[in-house]
Amino acid sequence: MDAVEKRVHTFVRVKPTADFAQDMIKFGPDNKSIDIYIKKDAKKGVVNNRQTDWSFRLDGVLHNTSQERAYETVAKKLVSDALIGYNGTIMCYGQTGAGKTYTMTGATAEYKHRGIIPRAIQQVFKATADSVDPFVTVRISYLEIYNETLSDLLSTVPSNGSSDVQMAVVDCPQGVYVKGLSIHSVSHEEDALNLLFEGETNRVIAEHTLNKNSSRSHCIFTIYIESRFRVFSDVKCVRSKINLIDLAGSERLSKTGSEGQVLKEATYINKSLSFLEQIVIALAEPKRDHVPFRRSKLTHVLKDSLGGNCNTVLVANICGEAVHVEETLSSLRFATRMKWITTEPVINETYDREGTVKALEKEIILLKQELAMHDSLVNRSLVTYDPLTDSQTAEIKSQVHKYLKGAIDEIDIVNIRQIQEVFKQFKLIVSQQEHEVEARLRSQYALIDKNDFAAVAALQKAGVLDVDGHLVQEEDGRDFGTRTTPFSSRRGGKKKSRKSNEQPKKEGIGSPLSGKDLDGFLPSKSQVIISTKDLDVKEGARNQDTANIDAELSKPAPVEDSQRPSSPPSKPVAFEQFKEECGSEISRIFKENKSILLARKKRSSAVAQRINFIKREMEGIKQALEAQKQERWQQEFEIWYSESFLIPKDVQEALKPGGNIRPGMIPMNRVMCLEEDEQERFERMQETTLPACPASVSFYKAKMKTDQKHTYTRTMSSLEQMRKKPGLITAAGKNKPLSFLHVM
């Protein structure tokens, strides 16, 4: 959207009146400006500097316009943008009795007088019915702010959402939401209108001098739209919401004459509207850093609508009488300030993870097919891009071994998976050779960690190492048969060595190599490897005479048992040998028990799934029986109520014991003496109104269902009073009989 469309759009709607002040209120020729002129008061003298004329430039002036024209001007484009992912807010502001509720909700008695909310619902469902690609989900909520207290106007309607949670306004990265507010899914226009009419009956209204049905609270009707697009490999979810706000009207106590509870409500209303105006003034200042949205519940809820991710439209409702000119000026000033607020609406797109995975899998299949087609064109028909099988892995392993032995000069490259497997086999071979070298070294040498200061000190005390950690050599240039090899330091004394070109010497044969000559054997120098036989020789030399040392050194070293290594193997290696030899039977039993345990676990999982399935079936049967119970109970009640209250006295005499008619057997369509009920009025309205406007069926059905529900509620309350006070029946309606209607 461009910069102009990012500003809040403001419109003025003038309430029709017979006493319109034509000499004080003038409209521009383009219906986008309004001028106010007030004559100077002669009683205040000649010198009077009070301003007498004002001019306001807005986005449109609605004077003597129909509800349909007002909706097309104010809301139609905003709802269309919401269907593609933009958030939207429409707000009605003005003094009490200026027509805000009429603009937003309209008159529910006639279809053509419905307001913005019913028309927005109709536009949304018409668009979803005409769309082909997206799968659209619509949900509804209705919030009331009464005396700075949050209330759910749809709390009486059953819902799967929040119920007993304390309501509060919560900030989150996605915006502001009301915790504890119930949100209801609707699939048809009639369902959404039912919720609207239900919420309207729960609103708080009162009577004062300027308005007999004055709204005493701010109400926010929200439509949540979620569209899921599935085009090729793209799985996109677009979420948006439309806030339709009917603000309570500002009041001058000197004109309304409010007292008691109405006065308290007016105080809260004026206070919240004052905070709203302060927020608007703060947002209109571009250099303002902090905006106090939390000063009231209303401004906190409207945080996203005012200067956030939202397309915002304001409708300022004014009265055209001269007596209300001050309130008119106040409303127009507020609208002018709102026009300078800028918003930053963006499309709210998200991508479903599960759907994205499925789309990527589909794309992989398409790419494989494309590669197969390419290979067939270049005569590479044997190439496959699936994961390698066991036979293919074994073949690659054989090729690598042949390549290392020199049997083949090169390995043919087929695909990426083969290259990865070749490197994997090379890595396994190198690792095996490292372990073999380390095992041979461990069979001939004792490894001592240079970081183990106690072991190094013992060797220095024994004369094997000098102070600098080097091997001590004999005077004739020969050593005592000790050898050093650097090893990487590990926990538990187990060290990993690299393969060397030098072959280890046989036991008993000395080597004149120094530690420096063996630096290239392995990269680390954290360990010293000393032959255990040479340590024994060194210990014997320290306890004898110098001459005996020479004689002892000249003797050949005793031959040790070749079957048993000089040092014990590591515990992991010994454990593997134990499992293969002595512990083979235990290992077999353990594996059998493990397989039995896994089989039993699978059976228990299958049983648990079966139990859950049966449980769900039981829950479904229980709900169906409950629904049948309610339906049967309502039918019996309708029969009883009709026979008890709607049947004339002469027919009731026939129903008494001994009469010719049994109770419960009277067909209501044959009782001709009853007055016209709501069902008959609805049928008559279908014959006259619906042929000219078939789209009004949902509207009238929803209205009739709401009236039927409240008639039922009033009847039940009357029955409760009748049970408490036998013989006294309280009228449930206003001097008219009640009836239950069957909606076709």
Side-chain angles (χ1 to χ4, degrees), residues 12 26 28 32-36 51 53-58 61 328-337 339:
V12 174
K26 302 291 184 181
K32 291 187 177 181
S33 62
I34 181 171
D35 299 327
I36 307 294
Q51 185 176 354
D53 56 337
W54 295 265
S55 180
F56 301 94
R57 183 76 179 175
L58 304 169
V61 177
T328 298
L329 286 172
S330 177
S331 299
L332 292 174
R333 291 192 189 100
F334 180 83
T336 304
R337 296 189 186 103
K339 188 177 179 181

Side-chain angles (χ1 to χ4, degrees), residues 237-258:
C237 179
V238 177
R239 293 183 176 90
S240 61
K241 62 180 180 179
I242 307 174
N243 294 319
L244 304 172
I245 306 170
D246 181 15
L247 297 175
S250 59
E251 299 181 11
R252 287 181 180 266
L253 301 180
S254 59
K255 294 183 178 181
T256 59
S258 302

